[in-house]
Amino acid sequence: MNTATIITVAIMAVALVVVAACMIRLGYKALLAEWAIEAITKAEKEFVGTKLGEARLAVVVSWLREKVPAPLRFLVTDSLIQKVVQVTFNAAKAGLEVLKDA
């Protein structure tokens, strides 16, 4: 094998790993959204009252963090989980407002 072939194979291997990591991360975003709905519902029932949004969010992120398999935790960060939870919550809230206005 010459140097060019070795470099080409190495670049292809790195690209494959990056693509696989991105696919795992994107797939987990969708799964996290499903889990987020369940966790948000559970947190809403456990933390009744106003001004508890941050506490609810922290608990939901913690619950979802536990569901992520250990080998994937470096890909699915707490900030990603927070973003997914917030987007899911906003979408659910907007959907309820549409139904309420109908």
Side-chain angles (χ1 to χ4, degrees):
M1 273 190 167
N2 63 19
T3 307
T5 304
I6 293 171
I7 292 172
T8 302
V9 169
I11 290 172
M12 294 288 283
V14 169
L16 182 63
V17 169
V18 169
V19 168
C22 289
M23 290 176 66
I24 289 169
R25 187 175 171 129
L26 291 174
Y28 257 87
K29 278 186 181 179
L31 187 56
L32 281 173
E34 289 180 33
W35 290 342
I37 292 170
E38 294 171 17
I40 289 168
T41 303
K42 183 178 174 184
E44 289 287 335
K45 290 177 183 174
E46 287 189 23
F47 293 90
V48 178
T50 59
K51 308 286 185 192
L52 295 174
E54 289 183 29
R56 286 185 195 118
L57 178 60
V59 169
V60 168
V61 169
S62 174
W63 288 336
L64 294 178
R65 164 66 48 211
E66 292 172 10
K67 286 190 159 220
V68 176
L72 299 178
R73 288 193 180 149
F74 75 97
L75 290 173
V76 182
T77 62
D78 284 350
S79 65
L80 174 67
I81 293 172
Q82 282 182 329
K83 288 176 188 173
V84 169
V85 169
Q86 192 62 55
V87 167
T88 304
F89 177 78
N90 292 346
K93 187 175 178 182
L96 289 174
E97 289 296 321
V98 167
L99 289 175
K100 190 168 100 176
D101 293 339

